[in-house]
Amino acid sequence: MSIDTLARTSRAKRKISARRWLVPYVFLSPAGLLFVVFLAIPIIYAIYLSFRGMHVSGGGPFGVREETWVGFDNYIRTFTDAEFFAGFGRLAIYGVIAVPVTLGLALLFALLLDLPRVRAARFSRIAIFVPYAVPGVIASLLWGFLYLPSTSPLNWILNQLGFADLEVLTGGALFPAVANIAIWSGVGFNMIIIYTSLRGIPNELHEAARIDGASEWQIAWRIKIPLVAPALVLTGLFSLIGTLQLYGEPTTLRPMTNEISQTWVPLMKITRDAFARDDLSLAAASSVVLAIGTLVVSVVLLRMTQKKAFGDGS
């Protein structure tokens, strides 16, 4: 083989190698562009805006509003705002109801569907998952009409039996009523994740346990649940993040009750500050605080559970 042929072969191999190196980045570029435009840039702008504030220059009625650098003033206002942190207290009550019930029902349904010789498994999976496909606002409206005494079929039945109306959107029943919407919508999604993890467990483990005389309850408690711990951690993390981002349900139910204020949860207060009070800087600072808090809680949860769930203590 001549030297020119070897040189051409070498150049061709380098070109092929360069193209192979470039191919993954070509496929990733649309996702990267979307990430930068719709996530990175808004986050950077929100952080920048949180250090700005409006200042009125000039005296009298002809003052001009100007945006100026205010440093950490908006963060100080956020951390000294009683309404903002009262919203976190309501989130805690809501989360104590919604997260355990959602995960518990999702795990229960997944275990039931994973039983041998279960009937109508495909129909049951679809039926449990369908509520997740209903948009949150639509689900809130549906449940809201079921909650209202004037439109609730349950109250009509109670009235026919001589009982008083059942008030759901007032008092201590308000938090379970709001949590019920998220539970109804979220169980199916979490169930699919856990069920998929259950289907990945080798059948040999189940058969060996049955040969040793283990019941289905013992198999579920001692084999299935420990092996799907990573899926439980993942769904728990999703549920926790969803709790901190609660907005659609109480906002939709707000016209139906006097118990839900404009600042009932943190995101509702941020929306009010941004669009009702035209205080975008304070809303940006509150959003940054909420985002950092969500990140910290997520990292702490993963650190607390990763050794047991993933078998990694690093």
Side-chain angles (χ1 to χ4, degrees), residues 54-94:
M54 300 305 298
H55 173 71
V56 179
S57 63
F62 302 104
V64 179
R65 294 181 66 192
E66 296 178 347
E67 187 177 289
T68 60
W69 182 267
V70 296
F72 289 95
D73 287 356
N74 291 316
Y75 290 96
I76 294 173
R77 291 171 61 193
T78 296
F79 282 106
T80 56
D81 191 337
E83 281 185 314
F84 185 66
F85 287 97
F88 281 102
R90 299 185 189 97
L91 276 185
I93 299 174
Y94 166 87

Side-chain angles (χ1 to χ4, degrees), residues 272-301:
R272 186 205 63 177
D273 291 340
F275 302 108
R277 293 189 172 181
D278 195 24
D279 196 344
L280 290 174
S281 300
L282 178 60
S286 301
S287 300
V288 172
V289 170
L290 179 61
I292 293 176
T294 303
L295 177 63
V296 170
V297 170
S298 302
V299 171
V300 170
L301 176 64

Side-chain angles (χ1 to χ4, degrees), residues 2-3 10-11 25 39 42 73 77 82 104-105 131 149 159 167 182 211 227-228 263 273 298 314:
S2 66
I3 296 177
S10 178
R11 286 195 296 268
Y25 295 97
L39 191 62
D73 287 356
R77 291 171 61 193
L105 289 176
N159 292 334
E167 297 289 342
I211 292 173
L227 290 178
V228 299
T263 60
D273 291 340
S298 302
S314 59

Side-chain angles (χ1 to χ4, degrees), residues 93-312:
I93 299 174
Y94 166 87
V96 167
I97 300 171
V99 175
V101 175
T102 300
L103 296 183
L105 289 176
L107 177 61
L108 176 62
F109 289 146
L111 291 172
L112 291 175
L113 290 173
D114 194 54
L115 289 173
R117 296 182 299 277
V118 64
R119 296 182 179 179
R122 181 175 299 179
F123 171 80
S124 300
R125 288 197 302 269
I126 296 174
I128 297 171
F129 181 77
V130 160
Y132 176 74
V134 179
V137 174
I138 303 300
S140 300
L141 286 173
L142 292 174
W143 281 102
F145 285 117
L146 292 176
Y147 291 155
L148 285 175
S150 58
T151 57
S152 173
L154 177 59
N155 280 328
W156 182 85
I157 294 173
L158 291 176
N159 292 334
Q160 298 302 311
L161 297 176
F163 295 100
D165 289 336
L166 183 64
E167 297 289 342
V168 179
L169 296 177
T170 58
L174 178 61
F175 286 98
V178 177
N180 174 66
I181 302 174
I183 294 169
W184 180 76
S185 302
V187 166
F189 174 76
N190 294 308
M191 181 271 296
I192 290 296
I193 295 177
I194 298 171
Y195 178 75
T196 303
S197 182
L198 285 171
R199 300 303 294 173
I201 299 175
N203 288 328
E204 291 79 5
L205 293 177
H206 303 160
E207 296 300 330
R210 293 189 183 97
I211 292 173
D212 290 338
S215 64
E216 292 299 329
W217 162 254
Q218 291 173 325
I219 293 173
W221 183 253
R222 297 181 180 274
I223 297 177
K224 293 183 178 181
I225 294 179
L227 290 178
V228 299
L232 291 174
V233 172
L234 179 64
T235 53
L237 184 60
F238 287 162
S239 299
L240 182 61
I241 294 174
T243 296
L244 292 172
Q245 295 176 345
L246 178 66
Y247 176 79
E249 291 84 353
T251 301
T252 306
L253 295 176
R254 184 171 172 269
M256 305 179 187
T257 175
N258 294 325
E259 300 277 334
I260 300 178
S261 65
Q262 285 185 310
T263 60
W264 200 69
V265 290
L267 275 181
M268 292 179 68
K269 183 184 181 302
I270 291 171
T271 303
R272 186 205 63 177
D273 291 340
F275 302 108
R277 293 189 172 181
D278 195 24
D279 196 344
L280 290 174
S281 300
L282 178 60
S286 301
S287 300
V288 172
V289 170
L290 179 61
I292 293 176
T294 303
L295 177 63
V296 170
V297 170
S298 302
V299 171
V300 170
L301 176 64
L302 288 175
R303 294 295 297 177
M304 291 173 58
T305 57
Q306 70 174 359
K307 184 174 181 180
K308 183 176 181 180
F310 301 98
D312 182 11

